[in-house]
């Protein structure tokens, strides 16, 4: 009980603002009411804004202490060190309660009235990183209950204290999901029903639709119809897909919860298709998969990638957290070989990604992503066909006619060559909309492993404001059987891509590491592909419910904590170490006055970048085709001579000033805590390089991608040393 009181009241550090007399009203078992589905009246009680919030990996820590040590054995719980009042940025320490309070206060002041729903993708308890204070079941439960109450403070109906209707507790839908640290021991989630599905059925009872409570208790998955008859958000229990969960074994065997969840998802997506609705998939652990690393069991990844393709007319997009780095991933249909019944099991050699990526493992992972993206087919160069003129005034009519024929024939050849290359390119990426690929977005965290972040995604609501809200979704409809689910048909694209991919898969090297076998001969129920007459889905073609862009927010804790100089210390020997525990940028620093009170400045999130205006990523929208183009530009290793806003590669000086000039959309120089004096850097580099140093070619899109992956906490020199100039 003392821990819960501290979670609610402890660490109440409201800087620059007077704390309310009553922080929050705890929800106990007696007064937390069982929730039903968000009906049309609730979900449409106010006009749609066309925006929603994605928040992930908060990791509140009630044992966090100001100016404690960030060393591994101390974990910001004891000792004397640089831990800031609102968090220890760039360390592996968890979030102080003050950071959680300030984050929700900022959301209330700046986002509350502008968003339609919240996607909350898990990890809502501290890590088990302190041997002196081991986690227990009550701490994990209390931490999640604490965050439910924070959401209630911001999005709860203020005049709802005596209302016995649970569907009226919140003004907008909130969709939480299990994180790998929301259970004990972490990562290990046994087949349900288990104590955690039962416990969270109580903690999240206001969020889980009543008719899905049985399914949630069985496996921890559910969905919410956030816009009635239009849009559904799925909360997937990715712990059953997670390769680090030793309590389960993938998605192949019918007895496995991963298999059951995939079947449930298949049935629900088919039902949404028949209702003419769209879906967003959300979860904690993303389907990361590179040549040597993976997050999901391969059998689960295979089904997921196939499901995403077959329901590409239904799925708007997918959102994940867990990895703390800001990035995206493309699932390639050519890698789907689960349907091949003619080959033996292919040995896949990959090691599981760490629960929390070290600096070096994150660098390796991003580098592998880039190498993979470099293999994406590139669009052909545009042919600039100019008309040929004949300058001789003495040319006769016959000569003119012959010249015109010759010129027309040349134009035709150019056009045919151009068309042929374009068609080949489109065939390679799955048609005009790039349907060979599907997209997953991974948001960075609130916990300040780098800087705390939030993401607001904007989506197209054209025509939705004209809909009536009188029809309440059929509460029994989602349980009905779906006609035709046994159909094993698969579209031509899958067959062609799978056939092309098989030889390459057989040639994969067998390196060291854990081996994951794909059982190709397993019988699976292949989802139906979209009708050949149906238009491309909102993930591929801009339309109602398509994602238009997102705004990435960050809180610069170095400036806000106001404890040390904005200039960070360089890593030991100027190199990035592969440390299992990150002590952070201030690791060698100690506060001068041991009893000094916090002197933090006003807390705020500010825009890191906005995809709608960003000139580096240059995303027109968040469709798959836009991300294929971005991935292709990131994957380019050599400059092709093009320049300008859309040029992927540009020649830039290797100075802090020049790098900043090319980081469009990133915090300016005055806001960047890791940018040392440009003048000093320039002098040092000039002295080191000498007069004969040539300008180096840098892919500024790749550089910016890495910079944003670490939320701007990495020095330019570090990025150049670790990720190269190419």
């Amino acid at each position: 009980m003392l821990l819960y009181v501290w979670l609610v009241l402890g660490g109440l550090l409201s800087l620059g603002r007077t704390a309310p007399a009553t922080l929050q009203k705890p929800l106990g078992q007696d007064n937390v009411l069982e929730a039903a589905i968000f009906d049309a009246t609730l979900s449409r009680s106010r006009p749609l804004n066309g925006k929603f919030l994605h928040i992930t990996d908060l990791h509140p820590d009630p044992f966090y202490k100001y100016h404690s040590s960030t060393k591994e054995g101390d974990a910001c719980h004891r000792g004397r060190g640089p831990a800031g009042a609102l968090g220890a940025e760039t360390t592996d320490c968890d979030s102080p309660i003050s950071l959680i309070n300030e984050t929700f206060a900022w959301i209330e002041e700046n986002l509350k009235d502008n968003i339609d729903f919240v996607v909350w993708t898990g990890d809502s308890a501290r890590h088990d990183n302190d041997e002196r204070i081991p986690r227990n079941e009550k701490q994990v439960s209390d931490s999640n209950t604490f965050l439910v109450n924070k959401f209630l403070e911001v999005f709860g109906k203020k005049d709802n204290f005596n209302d016995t209707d649970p569907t009226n507790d919140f003004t907008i839908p909130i969709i939480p999901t299990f994180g790998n640290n929301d259970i004990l021991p972490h990562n290990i989630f046994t087949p349900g029903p288990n104590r955690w599905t039962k416990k969270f059925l109580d903690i999240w009872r206001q969020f889980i639709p009543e008719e899905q409570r049985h399914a949630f208790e069985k496996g921890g998955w559910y969905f919410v119809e956030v816009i009635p008859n239009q849009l559904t958000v799925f909360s997937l229990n990715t712990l059953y897909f997670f390769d680090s969960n030793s309590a389960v074994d993938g998605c192949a065997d019918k007895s496995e919860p991963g298999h059951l969840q995939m079947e449930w998802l298949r049935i629900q997506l088919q039902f949404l298709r028949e209702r003419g609705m769209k879906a967003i998939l959300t979860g904690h652990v993303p389907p990361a998969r590179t040549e040597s690393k993976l997050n999901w069991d391969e059998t689960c990844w295979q089904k997921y990638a196939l499901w995403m393709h077959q329901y590409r007319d239904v799925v708007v997009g997918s959102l994940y957290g867990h990895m703390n780095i800001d990035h995206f991933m493309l699932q390639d249909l050519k890698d789907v070989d689960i349907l091949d019944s003619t080959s033996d099991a292919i040995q896949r050699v990959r090691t599981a990604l760490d629960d929390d990526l070290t600096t070096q493992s994150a660098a390796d992972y991003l580098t592998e992503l880039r190498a993979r993206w470099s293999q994406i087919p590139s669009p052909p160069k545009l042919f600039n066909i100019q008309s040929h003129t004949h300058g001789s005034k003495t040319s006769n009519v016959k000569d003119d006619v012959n010249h015109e024929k010759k010129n027309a024939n040349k134009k035709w050849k150019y056009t045919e060559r151009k068309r042929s290359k374009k068609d080949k390119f489109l065939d390679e990426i799955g048609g005009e909309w790039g349907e060979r690929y599907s997209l997953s977005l991974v948001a960075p965290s609130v916990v300040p492993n780098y800087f705390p972040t939030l993401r607001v995604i904007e989506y197209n609501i054209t025509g939705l404001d004209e809909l009536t809200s009188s029809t309440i979704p059929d509460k029994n409809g989602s349980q009905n059987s779906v006609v035709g689910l046994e159909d094993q048909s698969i579209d031509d694209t899958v067959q062609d891509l799978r056939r092309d991919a098989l030889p390459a898969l057989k040639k994969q090297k067998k390196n060291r590491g854990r081996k994951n076998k794909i059982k190709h001969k397993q019988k699976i129920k292949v989802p139906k592909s979209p009708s050949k007459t149906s238009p491309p889905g909102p993930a591929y073609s801009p339309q109602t419910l398509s994602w238009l862009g997102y705004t990435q927010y960050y809180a610069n804790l170095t400036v806000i904590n106001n404890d040390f100089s904005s200039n960070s210390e360089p890593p030991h020997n100027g190199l990035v170490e592969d440390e299992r525990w990150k002590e952070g940028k201030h690791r060698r620093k100690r506060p001068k006055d041991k009893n000094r009170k916090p002197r933090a400045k006003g807390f705020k999130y500010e825009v890191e970048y906005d995809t709608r205006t960003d000139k580096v990523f240059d995303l027109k929208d968040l469709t798959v085709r836009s991300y294929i183009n971005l991935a292709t530009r990131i994957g380019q290793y050599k400059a092709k001579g093009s320049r300008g806003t859309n040029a992927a590669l540009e020649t830039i000086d290797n100075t802090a000033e020049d790098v900043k000039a090319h980081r469009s959309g990133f915090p300016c120089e005055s806001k960047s805590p890791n940018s040392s004096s440009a003048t000093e850097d320039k002098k040092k580099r000039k002295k080191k390089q000498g007069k004969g140093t040539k300008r180096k070619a840098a892919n500024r899109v790749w550089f910016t991608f890495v910079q944003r992956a670490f939320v701007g906490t990495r020095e330019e020199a570090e990025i150049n040393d670790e990720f190269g100039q190419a």
Side-chain angles (χ1 to χ4, degrees):
M1 185 62 188
L2 291 176
L3 173 64
Y4 183 72
V5 172
W6 170 239
L7 275 167
V8 176
L9 300 175
L12 178 57
L13 187 61
S14 290
L15 303 169
R17 187 179 71 254
T18 303
T22 303
L23 176 63
Q24 59 192 16
K25 182 180 179 181
L27 299 178
Q29 292 184 353
D30 294 334
N31 59 357
V32 178
L33 302 174
E34 190 172 291
I37 192 170
F38 285 98
D39 61 22
T41 303
L42 171 63
S43 299
R44 297 299 308 277
S45 60
R46 63 183 188 183
L48 291 174
N49 294 283
K51 296 179 181 179
F52 66 91
L53 170 66
H54 182 195
I55 186 170
T56 191
D57 294 81
L58 288 93
H59 291 289
D61 184 359
F63 302 103
Y64 183 100
K65 291 184 179 179
Y66 171 58
H67 274 176
S68 60
S69 169
T70 60
K71 292 182 178 179
E72 182 174 5
D74 297 326
C76 293
H77 293 163
R78 65 187 67 85
R80 190 176 173 210
L86 284 155
E89 73 274 24
T90 71
T91 74
D92 278 338
C93 293
D94 286 319
S95 302
I97 302 302
S98 57
L99 174 60
I100 304 301
N101 288 337
E102 292 293 335
T103 293
F104 277 89
W106 189 88
I107 291 172
E108 182 170 20
E109 294 170 5
N110 297 274
L111 301 179
K112 174 184 175 182
D113 298 325
N114 301 317
I115 57 177
D116 301 325
F117 55 93
V118 178
V119 171
W120 169 21
T121 50
D123 263 12
S124 304
R126 70 182 179 94
H127 291 89
D128 203 358
N129 55 18
D130 189 345
E131 293 182 354
R132 296 196 201 176
I133 316 176
R135 297 197 314 166
N136 58 50
E137 190 171 316
K138 188 175 185 304
Q139 290 178 10
V140 173
S141 300
D142 286 350
S143 181
N144 275 273
T145 302
F146 166 67
L147 287 178
V148 169
N149 289 334
K150 296 305 295 183
F151 279 106
L152 186 64
E153 285 181 32
V154 178
F155 298 105
K157 292 189 174 180
K158 303 305 180 184
D159 57 350
N160 200 42
F161 298 112
N162 297 319
D163 188 357
T164 58
D165 182 0
T167 63
N168 281 328
D169 287 348
F170 289 90
T171 58
I172 61 174
I174 297 170
I175 305 93
T177 192
F178 277 111
N180 62 306
N181 286 287
D182 294 326
I183 54 178
L184 201 69
H186 79 292
N187 297 342
I188 308 303
F189 202 97
T190 59
N194 58 46
R195 73 183 193 275
W196 293 109
T197 60
K198 294 176 181 178
K199 189 174 292 293
F200 276 86
L201 188 61
D202 178 60
I203 296 173
W204 292 345
R205 62 176 60 197
Q206 294 162 296
F207 307 132
I208 302 170
E210 184 177 2
E211 74 281 1
Q212 295 179 60
R213 291 171 64 82
H214 176 72
F216 180 87
E217 185 175 3
K218 186 175 182 179
W221 54 73
Y222 68 101
F223 64 83
V224 174
E225 200 165 309
V226 294
I227 304 178
N229 301 312
Q230 296 294 325
L231 180 64
T232 291
V233 176
F234 285 84
S235 176
L236 302 178
N237 185 358
T238 55
L239 302 187
Y240 284 143
F241 308 150
F242 195 21
D243 202 55
S244 296
N245 182 7
S246 58
V248 296
D249 188 20
C251 298
D253 195 293
K254 290 183 178 180
S255 64
E256 288 295 328
H259 174 88
L260 296 175
Q261 183 173 194
M262 281 295 182
E263 285 300 288
W264 169 83
L265 179 61
R266 177 179 65 86
I267 291 172
Q268 300 306 327
L269 290 176
Q270 179 65 29
F271 187 58
L272 291 183
R273 174 185 281 166
E274 294 181 356
R275 292 179 61 189
M277 293 182 61
K278 307 303 178 185
I280 294 173
L281 306 186
T282 72
H284 180 65
V285 182
R289 181 181 184 271
T290 61
E291 293 306 313
S292 65
K293 296 179 174 64
L294 83 165
N295 272 339
W296 287 14
D297 182 275
E298 183 70 9
T299 59
C300 300
W301 187 94
Q302 290 275 323
K303 285 188 175 181
Y304 174 79
L306 180 57
W307 271 219
M308 290 284 282
H309 178 79
Q310 295 298 90
Y311 288 112
R312 60 191 181 276
D313 58 326
V314 177
V315 177
V316 179
S318 58
L319 303 170
Y320 300 92
H322 178 66
M323 297 179 73
N324 299 331
I325 55 175
D326 180 355
H327 69 296
F328 65 94
M329 51 193 70
L330 294 169
Q331 290 79 227
D332 188 348
L333 191 64
K334 272 197 173 184
D335 291 335
V336 175
D337 57 345
I338 195 172
L339 299 174
D340 198 290
S341 60
T342 62
S343 63
D344 295 329
I346 295 176
Q347 302 281 336
R348 296 199 183 278
V349 185
R350 294 184 176 90
T351 56
L353 283 167
D354 298 327
D355 177 18
D356 296 292
L357 292 174
T358 64
T359 302
Q360 188 59 50
S361 63
D364 292 342
Y365 168 70
L366 293 175
T367 302
E368 286 188 356
L369 277 182
R370 186 191 187 196
R372 189 171 182 82
W373 293 341
S374 70
Q375 303 303 313
I376 294 176
S378 298
K381 292 182 179 179
L382 295 177
F383 287 90
N384 184 15
I385 305 172
Q386 297 180 351
S387 299
H388 296 274
T389 59
H390 21 95
S392 175
K393 295 182 180 180
T394 60
S395 58
N396 57 36
V397 175
K398 184 177 180 180
D399 291 337
D400 287 345
V401 170
N402 289 336
H403 184 88
E404 288 295 336
K405 287 182 178 180
K406 185 177 180 180
N407 192 40
N409 187 49
K410 185 181 293 185
K411 285 184 179 181
W412 181 85
K413 288 183 179 180
Y414 274 119
T415 304
E416 281 298 299
R417 191 193 318 172
K418 178 182 175 183
R419 188 192 64 78
S420 177
K421 288 185 177 182
K422 180 181 178 181
D423 289 347
K424 182 180 179 181
F425 164 70
L426 293 178
D427 289 342
E428 287 178 339
I429 66 169
E432 182 180 356
W433 310 105
E435 291 176 306
R436 166 180 164 182
Y437 300 93
S438 57
L439 173 68
S440 298
L441 298 183
V442 183
S445 57
V446 172
V447 66
N449 291 151
Y450 305 107
F451 282 139
T453 68
L454 299 170
R455 177 172 291 180
V456 175
I457 298 176
E458 185 175 353
Y459 65 102
N460 191 333
I461 57 172
T462 302
L464 295 183
D465 52 346
E466 299 175 359
L467 297 176
T468 61
S469 57
S470 59
T471 303
I472 299 177
D474 179 10
K475 292 187 177 183
N476 297 317
S478 61
Q479 307 301 324
N480 293 342
S481 61
V482 182
V483 178
L485 285 180
E486 305 302 316
D487 187 359
Q488 301 295 308
S489 65
I490 187 167
D491 63 14
D492 294 337
T493 307
V494 179
Q495 299 284 9
D496 294 341
L497 292 174
R498 184 161 51 84
R499 189 183 307 113
D500 295 341
L502 192 58
L505 290 169
K506 289 182 177 179
K507 293 179 181 179
Q508 289 184 344
K509 295 181 179 179
K510 297 182 180 181
N511 302 321
R512 293 181 302 170
R514 180 168 36 193
K515 297 181 180 180
N516 295 301
K517 294 185 178 181
I518 305 302
K519 299 178 181 179
H520 292 281
K521 296 184 181 181
Q522 63 174 297
K523 295 181 180 179
I524 67 170
K525 297 176 182 178
V526 179
K528 284 186 175 181
S529 59
S531 168
K532 292 184 178 181
T533 60
S534 58
Y540 296 89
S541 172
Q543 58 192 265
T544 300
L545 297 177
S546 292
W547 292 349
L548 303 174
Y550 66 80
T551 303
Q552 188 64 41
Y553 294 94
Y554 82 113
N556 191 329
L557 290 187
T558 304
V559 172
I560 295 170
N561 283 330
N562 195 28
D563 283 326
F564 304 107
S565 165
S566 62
N567 292 337
S568 64
E569 288 191 1
H572 297 301
N573 302 321
L575 299 174
V576 176
E577 296 183 352
D578 186 17
E579 299 169 322
R580 295 295 304 175
W581 176 273
K582 297 191 288 288
E583 292 184 35
K585 58 190 286 187
H586 304 306
R587 57 185 165 189
R588 297 180 187 174
K589 299 177 182 178
R590 299 291 181 274
K592 295 180 180 179
D593 183 1
K594 147 176 173 178
N595 299 316
R596 189 180 71 183
K597 295 181 179 180
R599 58 177 189 179
K601 298 180 179 179
F603 182 88
K604 65 177 180 178
Y605 282 91
E606 52 193 311
V607 176
E608 180 188 351
Y609 65 97
D610 186 337
T611 63
R612 300 296 299 274
T613 58
D614 175 49
K615 299 300 182 183
V616 180
F617 281 6
D618 196 28
L619 290 167
K620 295 180 180 179
D621 49 39
L622 303 187
T623 59
V624 172
R625 185 66 186 272
S626 291
Y627 273 95
I628 291 175
N629 293 339
L630 175 58
T632 302
R633 294 165 61 217
I634 291 173
Q636 291 180 3
Y637 287 92
K638 293 182 180 180
K640 296 183 178 180
S642 59
R643 298 184 62 85
T645 301
N646 295 322
L649 304 174
E650 295 190 6
T651 301
I652 60 174
D653 282 328
N654 189 21
T655 66
E657 274 187 325
D658 290 314
V659 170
K660 287 171 194 168
H662 289 278
R663 283 192 304 163
S664 176
F666 201 79
C668 63
E669 183 175 343
S670 63
K671 298 177 183 176
S672 180
N674 292 322
S675 298
S676 53
S677 168
T679 304
E680 293 179 3
D681 283 350
K682 204 169 185 179
K683 288 181 180 179
K684 289 179 182 178
R685 288 192 174 95
K686 280 187 176 180
K687 185 176 180 181
K688 181 178 179 180
Q689 294 173 353
K691 295 182 180 180
T693 302
K694 296 182 179 180
R695 295 158 65 89
K696 297 183 179 180
N699 181 336
R700 71 185 181 105
V701 184
W702 164 239
F703 185 96
T704 304
F705 175 73
V706 173
Q707 189 86 353
R708 290 173 177 173
F710 298 107
V711 198
T713 59
R714 299 291 299 276
E715 293 276 2
E716 285 88 349
E718 290 178 13
I719 296 177
N720 289 337
D721 290 342
E722 191 168 0
F723 295 93
Q725 289 285 312

